[in-house]
Short mmCIF file of all heavy atoms in Angstrom, two decimals:
data_model
loop_
_atom_site.label_atom_id
_atom_site.label_comp_id
_atom_site.label_asym_id
_atom_site.label_seq_id
_atom_site.Cartn_x
_atom_site.Cartn_y
_atom_site.Cartn_z
N THR A 26 5.12 26.50 -7.64
CA THR A 26 4.14 25.40 -7.57
C THR A 26 4.52 24.25 -6.67
O THR A 26 3.66 23.40 -6.36
CB THR A 26 3.93 24.83 -9.02
OG1 THR A 26 5.24 24.34 -9.50
CG2 THR A 26 3.38 25.88 -9.95
N HIS A 27 5.77 24.19 -6.19
CA HIS A 27 6.18 23.11 -5.27
C HIS A 27 6.38 23.76 -3.89
O HIS A 27 7.31 24.51 -3.66
CB HIS A 27 7.48 22.44 -5.70
CG HIS A 27 7.28 21.58 -6.93
ND1 HIS A 27 7.08 22.12 -8.19
CD2 HIS A 27 7.24 20.22 -7.07
CE1 HIS A 27 6.93 21.13 -9.05
NE2 HIS A 27 7.02 20.00 -8.41
N LEU A 28 5.46 23.48 -3.00
CA LEU A 28 5.41 24.11 -1.69
C LEU A 28 5.70 23.12 -0.55
O LEU A 28 5.02 22.13 -0.40
CB LEU A 28 4.03 24.76 -1.51
CG LEU A 28 3.59 25.61 -2.73
CD1 LEU A 28 2.16 26.09 -2.54
CD2 LEU A 28 4.52 26.79 -2.90
N HIS A 29 6.71 23.39 0.21
CA HIS A 29 7.18 22.50 1.28
C HIS A 29 7.12 23.25 2.61
O HIS A 29 7.77 24.32 2.76
CB HIS A 29 8.59 22.03 1.01
CG HIS A 29 9.17 21.11 2.00
ND1 HIS A 29 9.33 19.76 1.79
CD2 HIS A 29 9.56 21.31 3.29
CE1 HIS A 29 9.84 19.21 2.88
NE2 HIS A 29 9.98 20.12 3.77
N TRP A 30 6.38 22.77 3.56
CA TRP A 30 6.25 23.37 4.89
C TRP A 30 6.76 22.45 5.97
O TRP A 30 6.47 21.28 5.97
CB TRP A 30 4.82 23.74 5.24
CG TRP A 30 4.26 24.84 4.40
CD1 TRP A 30 4.47 26.11 4.47
CD2 TRP A 30 3.26 24.67 3.36
NE1 TRP A 30 3.71 26.83 3.59
CE2 TRP A 30 2.95 25.97 2.90
CE3 TRP A 30 2.61 23.57 2.81
CZ2 TRP A 30 2.06 26.18 1.89
CZ3 TRP A 30 1.69 23.81 1.83
CH2 TRP A 30 1.43 25.09 1.36
N GLU A 31 7.47 23.04 6.90
CA GLU A 31 7.81 22.31 8.14
C GLU A 31 8.12 23.38 9.21
O GLU A 31 8.26 24.55 8.94
CB GLU A 31 9.01 21.38 7.94
CG GLU A 31 10.30 22.02 7.44
CD GLU A 31 11.38 20.99 7.24
OE1 GLU A 31 11.76 20.34 8.22
OE2 GLU A 31 11.75 20.80 6.08
N GLY A 32 8.19 22.88 10.44
CA GLY A 32 8.45 23.85 11.53
C GLY A 32 7.19 24.53 11.97
O GLY A 32 6.22 23.87 12.38
N ASP A 33 7.15 25.84 11.85
CA ASP A 33 6.06 26.63 12.39
C ASP A 33 5.00 26.97 11.30
O ASP A 33 4.11 27.78 11.54
CB ASP A 33 6.53 27.92 12.98
CG ASP A 33 7.39 27.65 14.22
OD1 ASP A 33 7.06 26.74 14.92
OD2 ASP A 33 8.37 28.42 14.44
N GLY A 34 5.13 26.39 10.16
CA GLY A 34 4.09 26.62 9.14
C GLY A 34 4.42 27.85 8.29
O GLY A 34 5.46 28.47 8.34
N LEU A 35 3.42 28.26 7.51
CA LEU A 35 3.59 29.33 6.52
C LEU A 35 2.59 30.39 6.84
O LEU A 35 1.41 30.18 6.99
CB LEU A 35 3.34 28.76 5.16
CG LEU A 35 3.53 29.70 3.96
CD1 LEU A 35 5.02 29.97 3.73
CD2 LEU A 35 2.93 29.11 2.72
N PRO A 36 3.08 31.68 6.98
CA PRO A 36 2.14 32.77 7.22
C PRO A 36 1.08 32.84 6.11
O PRO A 36 1.37 32.70 4.94
CB PRO A 36 3.02 34.01 7.19
CG PRO A 36 4.38 33.50 7.55
CD PRO A 36 4.44 32.12 6.95
N THR A 37 -0.14 33.09 6.50
CA THR A 37 -1.27 33.06 5.54
C THR A 37 -1.00 34.13 4.43
O THR A 37 -1.28 33.90 3.29
CB THR A 37 -2.58 33.35 6.25
OG1 THR A 37 -2.81 32.38 7.25
CG2 THR A 37 -3.73 33.39 5.25
N SER A 38 -0.44 35.28 4.78
CA SER A 38 -0.24 36.33 3.82
C SER A 38 0.77 35.93 2.75
O SER A 38 0.58 36.19 1.56
CB SER A 38 0.23 37.63 4.51
OG SER A 38 1.48 37.35 5.23
N LEU A 39 1.82 35.17 3.15
CA LEU A 39 2.81 34.69 2.19
C LEU A 39 2.16 33.58 1.35
O LEU A 39 2.43 33.48 0.19
CB LEU A 39 4.03 34.15 2.94
CG LEU A 39 5.15 33.60 2.08
CD1 LEU A 39 5.62 34.62 1.06
CD2 LEU A 39 6.29 33.10 2.95
N GLY A 40 1.29 32.75 1.97
CA GLY A 40 0.68 31.70 1.20
C GLY A 40 -0.22 32.26 0.09
O GLY A 40 -0.23 31.75 -1.06
N VAL A 41 -0.94 33.36 0.38
CA VAL A 41 -1.73 33.98 -0.63
C VAL A 41 -0.91 34.46 -1.81
O VAL A 41 -1.27 34.36 -2.96
CB VAL A 41 -2.57 35.11 -0.02
CG1 VAL A 41 -3.28 35.94 -1.09
CG2 VAL A 41 -3.57 34.61 1.00
N GLU A 42 0.26 35.01 -1.49
CA GLU A 42 1.16 35.54 -2.55
C GLU A 42 1.69 34.42 -3.44
O GLU A 42 1.76 34.52 -4.64
CB GLU A 42 2.31 36.32 -1.93
CG GLU A 42 3.29 36.91 -2.91
CD GLU A 42 2.65 38.00 -3.78
OE1 GLU A 42 1.54 38.47 -3.49
OE2 GLU A 42 3.29 38.34 -4.79
N ILE A 43 2.07 33.27 -2.74
CA ILE A 43 2.54 32.13 -3.52
C ILE A 43 1.46 31.56 -4.41
O ILE A 43 1.69 31.23 -5.58
CB ILE A 43 3.06 31.03 -2.55
CG1 ILE A 43 4.34 31.49 -1.88
CG2 ILE A 43 3.31 29.70 -3.31
CD1 ILE A 43 4.85 30.54 -0.80
N TYR A 44 0.26 31.53 -3.89
CA TYR A 44 -0.91 31.04 -4.68
C TYR A 44 -1.13 31.93 -5.92
O TYR A 44 -1.37 31.46 -7.00
CB TYR A 44 -2.14 31.00 -3.79
CG TYR A 44 -3.38 30.45 -4.45
CD1 TYR A 44 -3.48 29.08 -4.74
CD2 TYR A 44 -4.41 31.29 -4.85
CE1 TYR A 44 -4.61 28.59 -5.37
CE2 TYR A 44 -5.54 30.78 -5.47
CZ TYR A 44 -5.63 29.45 -5.73
OH TYR A 44 -6.77 28.94 -6.29
N ARG A 45 -0.98 33.25 -5.71
CA ARG A 45 -1.18 34.18 -6.82
C ARG A 45 -0.11 34.03 -7.87
O ARG A 45 -0.36 33.99 -9.09
CB ARG A 45 -1.21 35.59 -6.28
CG ARG A 45 -1.50 36.71 -7.31
CD ARG A 45 -1.34 38.07 -6.76
NE ARG A 45 0.03 38.35 -6.38
CZ ARG A 45 0.91 38.76 -7.32
NH1 ARG A 45 0.59 38.90 -8.58
NH2 ARG A 45 2.16 39.01 -6.94
N ARG A 46 1.14 33.88 -7.40
CA ARG A 46 2.27 33.82 -8.36
C ARG A 46 2.31 32.52 -9.17
O ARG A 46 2.89 32.48 -10.26
CB ARG A 46 3.57 33.97 -7.61
CG ARG A 46 3.81 35.39 -7.05
CD ARG A 46 5.22 35.60 -6.63
NE ARG A 46 5.40 36.95 -6.08
CZ ARG A 46 6.62 37.54 -6.07
NH1 ARG A 46 7.66 36.94 -6.52
NH2 ARG A 46 6.73 38.76 -5.56
N SER A 47 1.73 31.45 -8.62
CA SER A 47 1.73 30.16 -9.35
C SER A 47 0.74 30.18 -10.47
O SER A 47 0.64 29.23 -11.26
CB SER A 47 1.41 29.04 -8.34
OG SER A 47 0.11 29.15 -7.82
N LYS A 48 -0.08 31.25 -10.53
CA LYS A 48 -1.08 31.46 -11.62
C LYS A 48 -2.01 30.25 -11.67
O LYS A 48 -2.56 29.78 -10.74
CB LYS A 48 -0.38 31.77 -12.94
CG LYS A 48 0.42 33.07 -12.82
CD LYS A 48 0.83 33.60 -14.16
CE LYS A 48 1.71 34.87 -13.96
NZ LYS A 48 1.02 36.00 -13.35
N GLY A 49 -2.21 29.59 -12.74
CA GLY A 49 -3.17 28.50 -12.81
C GLY A 49 -2.54 27.10 -12.84
O GLY A 49 -3.21 26.09 -13.12
N PHE A 50 -1.23 27.03 -12.58
CA PHE A 50 -0.50 25.75 -12.73
C PHE A 50 -0.79 24.84 -11.57
O PHE A 50 -1.11 25.27 -10.45
CB PHE A 50 1.00 26.03 -12.87
CG PHE A 50 1.36 26.63 -14.20
CD1 PHE A 50 1.47 28.01 -14.32
CD2 PHE A 50 1.65 25.83 -15.27
CE1 PHE A 50 1.80 28.58 -15.53
CE2 PHE A 50 1.98 26.37 -16.49
CZ PHE A 50 2.07 27.75 -16.64
N PRO A 51 -0.67 23.51 -11.81
CA PRO A 51 -0.87 22.52 -10.74
C PRO A 51 0.07 22.71 -9.58
O PRO A 51 1.25 23.07 -9.75
CB PRO A 51 -0.61 21.19 -11.47
CG PRO A 51 -0.83 21.45 -12.89
CD PRO A 51 -0.39 22.86 -13.11
N LEU A 52 -0.43 22.48 -8.36
CA LEU A 52 0.35 22.72 -7.16
C LEU A 52 0.77 21.36 -6.56
O LEU A 52 0.07 20.34 -6.69
CB LEU A 52 -0.54 23.47 -6.12
CG LEU A 52 -0.99 24.89 -6.55
CD1 LEU A 52 -2.01 25.38 -5.60
CD2 LEU A 52 0.22 25.81 -6.68
N ASN A 53 1.90 21.39 -5.89
CA ASN A 53 2.43 20.17 -5.23
C ASN A 53 2.73 20.57 -3.77
O ASN A 53 3.55 21.41 -3.50
CB ASN A 53 3.70 19.71 -5.91
CG ASN A 53 3.47 19.41 -7.42
OD1 ASN A 53 3.02 18.36 -7.78
ND2 ASN A 53 3.77 20.41 -8.23
N PHE A 54 2.05 19.89 -2.82
CA PHE A 54 2.17 20.21 -1.42
C PHE A 54 2.90 19.12 -0.68
O PHE A 54 2.63 17.93 -0.79
CB PHE A 54 0.81 20.37 -0.80
CG PHE A 54 0.02 21.57 -1.27
CD1 PHE A 54 -1.35 21.67 -0.96
CD2 PHE A 54 0.60 22.59 -1.98
CE1 PHE A 54 -2.08 22.76 -1.38
CE2 PHE A 54 -0.12 23.68 -2.45
CZ PHE A 54 -1.44 23.77 -2.13
N HIS A 55 3.85 19.54 0.21
CA HIS A 55 4.44 18.66 1.22
C HIS A 55 4.24 19.30 2.54
O HIS A 55 4.85 20.31 2.86
CB HIS A 55 5.91 18.41 0.91
CG HIS A 55 6.55 17.45 1.93
ND1 HIS A 55 7.88 17.20 1.99
CD2 HIS A 55 6.01 16.77 2.95
CE1 HIS A 55 8.14 16.37 2.96
NE2 HIS A 55 6.98 16.05 3.57
N LEU A 56 3.39 18.74 3.37
CA LEU A 56 3.09 19.27 4.71
C LEU A 56 3.76 18.38 5.72
O LEU A 56 3.41 17.21 5.88
CB LEU A 56 1.55 19.28 4.92
CG LEU A 56 0.69 19.78 3.78
CD1 LEU A 56 -0.77 19.82 4.20
CD2 LEU A 56 1.12 21.19 3.35
N TYR A 57 4.75 18.91 6.39
CA TYR A 57 5.69 18.07 7.17
C TYR A 57 5.60 18.48 8.66
O TYR A 57 5.91 19.60 8.97
CB TYR A 57 7.10 18.22 6.65
CG TYR A 57 8.12 17.37 7.42
CD1 TYR A 57 8.23 16.03 7.07
CD2 TYR A 57 8.92 17.92 8.35
CE1 TYR A 57 9.19 15.22 7.74
CE2 TYR A 57 9.85 17.18 9.02
CZ TYR A 57 10.01 15.82 8.71
OH TYR A 57 10.90 15.04 9.41
#
Side-chain angles (χ1 to χ4, degrees):
T26 58
H27 289 73
L28 310 174
H29 181 108
W30 290 285
E31 57 182 297
D33 294 326
L35 184 71
T37 301
S38 58
L39 179 57
V41 171
E42 182 64 14
I43 291 175
Y44 183 73
R45 184 187 68 81
R46 292 193 179 204
S47 64
K48 300 194 182 296
F50 288 92
L52 299 169
N53 303 276
F54 291 168
H55 181 186
L56 316 182
Y57 182 80

